Amino acid sequence: MSIAGLIERIGALVIDGITDLGDFVLFLIYSLLYIFLPPYKPRLWIRQIRIIGAESILLIGLIGAFTGMVLGLQGYNTLHRFGAAGALGTLVALALVRELGPVLAALMVAARAGSAMAAELGSMQATEQVDALTVMAINPVQYLVSPRMLAGIVSFPLLTTIFDVIGIYGGFVVGVGLMGASKGPYFSGIASNMDSHDIAIGLWKSLVFGVIVMWVCCYKGYNAERMATGVSRATTEAVVLSSVLILAFDYIIGAILI
Amino acid sequence: MATNASTSNGMPPNEIEVRDLCRRFGRQEVLRHLDLEIAQAQITTIVGPSGCGKTVLLKHLNLLLRPDSGTITIEGVEVTRLGNRALDAVREKFGMLFQAGALFDSMSVFDNVAFPLVEKTNLKSDEITARVNETLAAVGLDGMGDKYPSEMSGGMQKRAALARALVRRPRILMLDEPTTGLDPTRTGAIHELIRSTQKNFDLTVVMVSHDVPAVFQISDRVAFLNHGETHLHGTVEEVMAAEDAVFKRFLAGRAAGDDDGASLAG
Ligand SMILES: Nc1ncnc2c1ncn2[C@@H]1O[C@H](COP(=O)(O)OP(=O)(O)O)[C@@H](O)[C@H]1O
Ligand SMILES: [Mg+2]
């Protein structure tokens, strides 16, 4: 291939990439903006909060309990060697509230609700249901995506809080109940060593992750190629990209709010 | 021009006029300087080989896609450069039946048909119920409102989608392959339904169809598309009488059940 041809190829790839990125960002802006513009659809909001939030509680509780139990076990083993088992409660709570709660809750909801959402929007696109909305003069981003975005923003911090609380009790059951750390310092350590800044970091993360998961999963579904393989690819890409962005932003937010 | 000639001959005026419409996807030129008139209160059927751009043309007429160049005039309004709000006003004039039906599979048939009324009108719920039941009856689906799209046959889904397209009493009805995937008996029934609906509601109908030549029986005018251009266009009699080799070959291929019609080059 000639040099000019190569440059042309690379140029076309770069332009395509920038255009796609622009679409991706505009999609986020519009789906957030339309939450605040009429017509308001409380029914759709509540339905999505049920699907994304309420129906995830059991899973979140289960994962939260196991995560807390693992922290209780390993935390006790480590702290015990330094004679610092009294700090177990603080360790479990800080790890959950600042890191593991927001990240694991977001990953779980991305896998559960995000993938289903990408598949649903993708098949609606493939069967022209999205076009049907447009022809009826209904804005499909406002009708389909904004309620999910709102539900993500409402649900993620709440799910994360549930995850944290159950995790802290899971750590208590294993660390204090099974391993024999003393009971009193577990909760009093949390109360005296964790401040509102730690909680704020966790909540900010969960809020950002909520937006990321809804954004990525809706975008991938909404822009799926209009065929069965397009829908399955969109679903996979939605979960993979959400997970990568969750971990990347976990670091970024952690570094900014330290 | 043909348009002027036909109007002065006492033909109905044009509801939609397409001039010099061009649209490409990447390097592929799908519509190439396409001209077309859709006469008021008539059934205009668009036929042509698969992939010649029929669906793309329809998606320009109902404003889902924007052309690269050219104009589309609907009831005297040039629509290709309208903003979103003005477009929505134009969209209120028409109902669309999509190739895949496009019923919302999370809703019952009743809710599907009621949807445009619930979302876009201020009708009260008993008025909506009455209107939906009336429209379901008009397409032969009385009492089927509680079913879900997945529980219905292909023919019934098309009827339900037609009911949804008609429920706001549009002036223009667009149909993309309303009978594809149906057996000949059901095809005939849907054709009858389209004709009677057109008469009852005094609709302008634009239909893309694969059912050549059966569909000519209910059509007033025919446009034959080939390679993104209007190759032939006129009343059914004019088109059938035309000595056109490409169209003859298309008809012969259809009759032989050649679904690709891919051999129409040149
Ligand atoms: N959104 C799109 N992106 C890229 N190519 C498209 C798109 N829609 C249609 N095409 C191409 O345009 C051509 C005409 O398609 P279409 O109008 O669906 O054909 P048909 O006449 O069978 O309805 C096809 O070759 C198709 O691949
Ligand atoms: Mg088509």
Side-chain angles (χ1 to χ4, degrees), chain B residues 25 28 30 49-57 99 176-177 210:
Chain B
F25 290 108
Q28 187 191 5
V30 176
S50 283
C52 71
K54 302 184 294 294
T55 296
V56 171
L57 171 62
Q99 195 161 349
D176 195 356
E177 306 206 5
H210 263 185

Side-chain angles (χ1 to χ4, degrees), chain A residues 132-139, chain B residues 87-89 91-92 120 168:
Chain A
L133 285 173
T134 310
V135 169
M136 293 176 202
I138 292 166
N139 184 320
Chain B
L87 274 186
D88 281 351
R91 286 188 172 121
E92 316 250 302
K120 302 304 281 189
R168 291 194 69 195

Side-chain angles (χ1 to χ4, degrees), chain B residues 1 19 21 55 58 64 80 83 109-110 124 134 145 167 197 213 242 265:
Chain B
M1 271 192 7
R19 290 279 165 264
L21 198 68
T55 296
L58 217 51
L64 276 171
T80 52
V109 166
F110 183 94
K124 294 198 205 69
E134 183 192 326
V167 76
T197 309

Side-chain angles (χ1 to χ4, degrees), chain B residues 132-186:
Chain B
V132 171
N133 287 334
E134 183 192 326
T135 313
L136 282 174
V139 299
L141 286 181
D142 336 49
M144 301 289 218
D146 291 338
K147 288 206 185 287
Y148 278 80
S150 58
E151 301 167 347
M152 305 201 311
S153 70
M156 282 159 73
Q157 289 183 13
K158 300 270 177 173
R159 286 170 188 268
L162 185 60
R164 188 178 67 183
L166 291 170
V167 76
R168 291 194 69 195
R169 305 290 181 258
R171 303 170 48 102
I172 306 171
L173 178 63
M174 301 188 189
L175 309 157
D176 195 356
E177 306 206 5
T179 56
T180 298
L182 302 185
D183 62 40
T185 324
R186 294 219 166 79

Side-chain angles (χ1 to χ4, degrees), chain A residues 41 128-129 131 134 137 143, chain B residues 59 91 98 100 115 119-120:
Chain A
K41 299 276 174 209
E128 297 178 310
Q129 292 176 48
D131 285 342
T134 310
Y143 188 83
Chain B
K59 286 191 172 174
R91 286 188 172 121
F98 286 90
F115 186 80
E119 293 294 326
K120 302 304 281 189

